[in-house]
Each structure stands twice: as C-alpha cells, then as structure tokens.
Amino acid sequence: MKKKWFAFLSFMLALSLLLVGCNSDRASKSGGNGTRLDIFSWWTGAGEEDGLKALIKLFKEKHPEVKVENAAVAGGAGTNAKAVLASRMQGNDPPATFQVHGGAELNDGWVAAGKMKPLNELYKEEGWNDKFPKELIDLVSKDGNIYSVPVNIHRGNVLWYNKRIFKDNGLKAPKTFAEFFKVADQLKAKGITPLALGDKEPWTATQLFEDVLLGTLAPDDYKKLWTKEVSFDDPKVKEAVKTFKKMLGYINKDHSSRNWQDASQLVGKGEAAMNIMGDWAKGYFVNDLKLKVNKDFGWVTTPGTQHSFMVITDTFGLPKGIKNEDDVMKFLSLLGSVEGQDTFNPLKGSIPARIDADPSKYDAYGRLTMKEFKKARITPSLAHGSAAPEGVVTKVNNAVNIFVTQQNEAQFIDALKTAASELK
Ligand code: GAL
C-alpha cells in the first residue's frame, strides 16, 4: 500500500514539475513569468482613453495568451505620467512599452540615455519602411536606427468653434490674426467669451503660444527657433508675444482652474465661441459630448497657419531590460498595422501615421486632415516634446505660465532665451 502511495506521489510530483516547466516555457515566450504587458500612457478619461481601449481589446482578441495591463497615468500631455515614467526608468523598472512623442522627447531623451532598443528588424519584417512617411520615420530615428512605432499623427494648430454661436452672430471662422481679433471683439461686445483656455496644466497655454509663433514666423523661422538659427529676441518673436498677450485678453476668467477638456467643453456647450487645441479635442467633442463634426462644431487652422501642420506623433517603443520582449513586439506589430491604426485613430481624433490606411474609416475632419497632411509644411510641436528636449519644454511651460498672469513681455522674452540656451 505504502509503495502504491509512494508511486502515486512521485507521479504527481513529476507531473507538476512537468507542468511548471511547460508553464514557464510558455511564460518566457509570453508574459515572461506571469509578467504583464503594461502599456504606459496618459490616456485616461474623457476624450483620451477610447482609442487605447479599442486597441487593447483588439490586441486581446488576437493574443488571448498575453496578460495586458492598461497602466495609464492621468494628466493631459503627460503632465504626471512623464514624471512617473522617469522614476520607473531610473529605478530600472521600465514599463513593457510606453507612450513617447517622436522627436526630441524620444531621441534626446530615452534613446540618448541608452534606454531603448532599436526596431529596425521589426520595420523590415513588417515591411514598414515605405508605409510611414519618411519625415515621420526620421522623427523616431537616431544615428540610423529606428526606435519606436508611431500610432498616429495629431495636428496641433487647430481652432475649434461653436457653429451655432458663429451662425447666430453672422460670423465667419477667422483665418488670420486680424480676422481673429475682429471676430473676438464682436463676440465680446455681445457678452460671449471669445476664446476658451484651460491652463490648469500649463502646456495648453504653451500650445496656444507655439501656434501664435508659427502663425507669425511661418514654418521655416519657427523651425529655426529650435536649432538656434532664430533667436527669441527676434522682432518676429516679440510680435508673436504681443499677439499672444492680446489673445489672453479674450479668454474665460476661470482658465487656471480648467484642464483642456473643461475648456473644450465651454465651446461644445456654447459657453465660449472658440478654442485652440490639438485634434484630440475632436475625440472629446464626438465621443464624450456626442457632438457632430461640421454641424455642432467646426474647425479651421489657427491664424496664419493654413499651410502648416504642427505635428504631434504618439509612438511606442521597446525599453531595454524588460522580461517580455516577445509580447511587446506583438503589441508593436498591431500598433503599426493598418488594422491597429484604423481602430485607434478614428476614436482618438488623430489621423493614421501610415500612408495606406483606409480613409473611409474616418469622418470629414479626419479625411480632410489626411489630405492636408500630405501637402502641408510639417513643423514640430514644442508643447508636445518634439521640438526640444524635456528641460527646455519645462522651462518654457513655466515662463508661459508666469506670463499668462503677469503679462510682462520683456521678462517673458528673457525667460524664453534662458530656456533656449539649453538647446544644442
Ligand atoms: C498629447 C498627446 C495626445 C493627447 C494630448 C492631451 O501630448 O500626444 O495624444 O493625449 O497630449 O493629453
């Protein structure tokens, strides 16, 4: 009897060892030792999370074996997420993959710090080298290596307006600064807030300022600001500062207690006429406020920027030192596929980064923006990390934030010059 028990126990032990072996084998290929695929971003809440959720759902359908964790940290433009990411990276605890803007944020940040693995092989295997615009691949490359996969292209120079307010007051959406101020005066005279701003998180005011810079300097000189070929005490910059200051005379009083969604909501609900925000605002108008493109709200490019495209591209890469590389590669493959992009972008408000996506999946805004992207001059956004490294962005955000309350032009120019002295 004892012998039988012994044989049975030995058999069970061998079986469980075998199962553990199988499991750990599977685990190392997928979900490394139970490691979750934590996808790190700042897409939470209104207008932000729908695209990501749809993408994760699609990924789970295709890869049910992978344990996915949506590790998003709230706060527009990565206000809080970037700090959390920095401490995880410093503590050698990187997320499996994380949201990072193409341009300086990726290249001068995580790539320069030696924290990312190149993805050239993935691009080759997936045949992506001619599926993304060359300019975009350049934005996610350093020294001949490609370091991330762009999921989208957002446009930063968009002025959104409430259709009913404009119609009731016989107004046309402004395309130049002169038209903007004319319309703004007419609205003000009727007791309507002309321009909504929500700079509780200061990046929104920086974004407004960079659009004014682009509209005043035009794309070539705007780009030269970030290569130090045009200085921040250039007369055109001074003119832009004056224009920005004038615009601040038309904003809602409670701007500093609102975030970007709260400011967009003022326009959506007819409590303000216009706001200047990236096209994630369209995702918010449509998905959350249930408004209709071209019926409830309209859009034009921000004053003076008709032929420019302020590019903001959200990308994901492969950090060094993670346990579940295979899973990340599976996720990146989906993110860069036509199906992945056409699942994410119609909800996010952005256009696909790929050139061969299906325009019929997009609304009137998306379709026109896809066309305009092909013709427009591409300029990098400072507020969203493409134009300059994080240190410069933080300094400019602080300077803008002080300027919005104190409105001292000379002091602002000085602060901008100090920030720019950190540029390479
Ligand atoms: C940007 C990001 C967008 C959007 C926006 C507001 O930095 O690229 O995808 O999320 O912030 O949070």
Side-chain angles (χ1 to χ4, degrees):
M1 191 65 186
K2 263 188 186 165
K3 264 190 189 165
K4 268 193 185 164
W5 260 110
F6 183 72
F8 175 68
L9 284 176
S10 312
F11 170 72
M12 289 305 283
L13 186 67
L15 187 68
S16 58
L17 283 176
L18 195 72
L19 286 175
V20 168
C22 285
N23 268 339
S24 68
D25 186 36
R26 197 183 318 131
S28 67
K29 288 209 181 84
S30 163
N33 308 319
T35 311
R36 284 172 189 274
L37 176 76
D38 49 340
I39 303 168
F40 189 92
S41 75
W42 52 85
W43 293 326
T44 66
E48 295 273 63
E49 67 186 4
D50 304 288
L52 178 64
K53 282 192 167 165
L55 192 66
I56 291 179
K57 185 168 172 274
L58 182 66
F59 182 78
K60 282 183 174 165
E61 278 161 26
K62 291 187 186 288
H63 301 287
E65 76 285 4
V66 181
K67 287 188 200 130
V68 183
E69 184 188 331
N70 180 352
V73 173
T79 302
N80 309 313
K82 285 184 187 176
V84 175
L85 177 67
S87 74
R88 285 190 64 171
M89 296 294 265
Q90 269 152 24
N92 290 324
D93 173 32
T97 187
F98 60 88
Q99 177 186 2
V100 58
H101 291 121
E105 192 175 307
L106 171 69
N107 298 325
D108 300 341
W110 302 121
V111 176
K115 299 280 189 189
M116 306 300 288
K117 285 201 164 178
L119 296 170
N120 303 30
E121 278 307 309
L122 178 69
Y123 271 69
K124 218 196 269 165
E125 275 164 29
E126 299 283 349
W128 284 346
N129 286 307
D130 58 356
K131 296 294 184 294
F132 293 97
K134 184 174 175 304
E135 271 169 306
L136 207 61
I137 296 192
D138 288 348
L139 267 184
V140 295
S141 302
K142 193 175 166 75
D143 304 328
N145 284 322
I146 310 174
Y147 284 98
S148 68
V149 183
V151 65
N152 66 359
I153 296 168
H154 270 303
R155 189 173 205 174
N157 56 318
V158 192
L159 182 152
W160 308 96
Y161 63 97
N162 180 293
K163 279 263 185 187
R164 189 184 46 74
I165 297 183
F166 270 67
K167 190 164 172 265
D168 289 355
N169 293 284
L171 299 171
K172 265 176 78 185
K175 294 205 167 137
T176 62
F177 288 114
E179 285 174 14
F180 175 87
F181 289 117
K182 200 168 161 211
V183 163
D185 280 333
Q186 283 166 292
L187 288 162
K188 208 173 180 178
K190 300 222 167 153
I192 302 165
T193 302
L195 184 66
L197 178 71
D199 65 340
K200 185 174 163 189
E201 292 166 356
W203 64 270
T204 56
T206 303
Q207 183 165 347
L208 174 59
F209 178 55
E210 77 182 11
D211 283 334
V212 176
L213 280 172
L214 178 61
T216 313
L217 277 80
D220 284 334
D221 280 357
Y222 169 83
K223 286 206 265 187
K224 285 182 184 164
L225 285 172
W226 316 119
T227 52
K228 291 171 113 174
E229 291 161 276
V230 169
S231 149
F232 274 91
D233 52 15
D234 186 277
K236 285 274 179 195
V237 175
K238 290 184 177 157
E239 186 189 327
V241 168
K242 280 200 186 329
T243 306
F244 177 47
K245 182 173 169 178
K246 197 169 166 195
M247 278 181 151
L248 295 174
Y250 296 90
I251 60 176
N252 45 303
K253 286 206 174 64
D254 61 354
H255 60 93
S256 64
S257 60
R258 289 179 180 265
N259 64 17
W260 73 262
Q261 286 99 332
D262 304 329
S264 303
Q265 190 181 63
L266 289 176
V267 175
K269 297 208 162 156
E271 291 164 41
M274 304 177 268
N275 72 325
I276 286 177
M277 186 42 60
D279 48 16
W280 44 91
K282 195 211 68 183
Y284 174 65
F285 285 144
V286 174
N287 304 343
D288 293 85
L289 301 186
K290 309 288 173 213
L291 301 177
K292 295 220 158 41
V293 178
N294 269 339
K295 187 170 164 277
D296 301 312
F297 67 93
W299 78 91
V300 282
T301 42
T302 55
T305 70
Q306 212 177 340
H307 304 294
S308 305
F309 200 114
M310 191 72 91
V311 163
I312 295 142
T313 179
D314 294 304
T315 78
F316 288 79
L318 179 66
K320 284 185 185 163
I322 55 157
K323 295 199 188 94
N324 43 355
E325 271 190 23
D326 287 352
D327 294 344
V328 176
M329 295 308 248
K330 287 178 193 166
F331 181 69
L332 295 180
S333 298
L334 181 68
L335 192 88
S337 70
V338 171
E339 189 185 9
Q341 305 229 329
D342 285 346
T343 299
F344 177 84
N345 289 300
L347 292 165
K348 186 65 169 69
S350 37
I351 60 168
R354 285 182 71 121
I355 54 180
D356 56 348
D358 178 0
S360 73
K361 297 258 172 13
Y362 296 79
D363 60 19
Y365 172 83
R367 288 194 300 272
L368 188 72
T369 306
M370 282 160 92
K371 274 195 196 142
E372 291 188 350
F373 178 73
K374 289 188 187 138
K375 296 179 291 179
R377 296 292 311 278
I378 306 300
T379 54
S381 163
L382 173 78
H384 301 282
S386 294
E390 200 57 25
V392 178
V393 180
T394 307
K395 286 208 168 70
V396 174
N397 277 339
N398 288 339
V400 169
N401 198 230
I402 294 170
F403 183 69
V404 171
T405 42
Q406 300 187 357
Q407 308 212 356
N408 180 329
E409 293 166 41
Q411 189 187 308
F412 185 38
I413 296 280
D414 276 350
L416 292 172
K417 274 165 59 187
T418 308
S421 66
E422 277 185 27
L423 290 165
K424 275 183 253 142

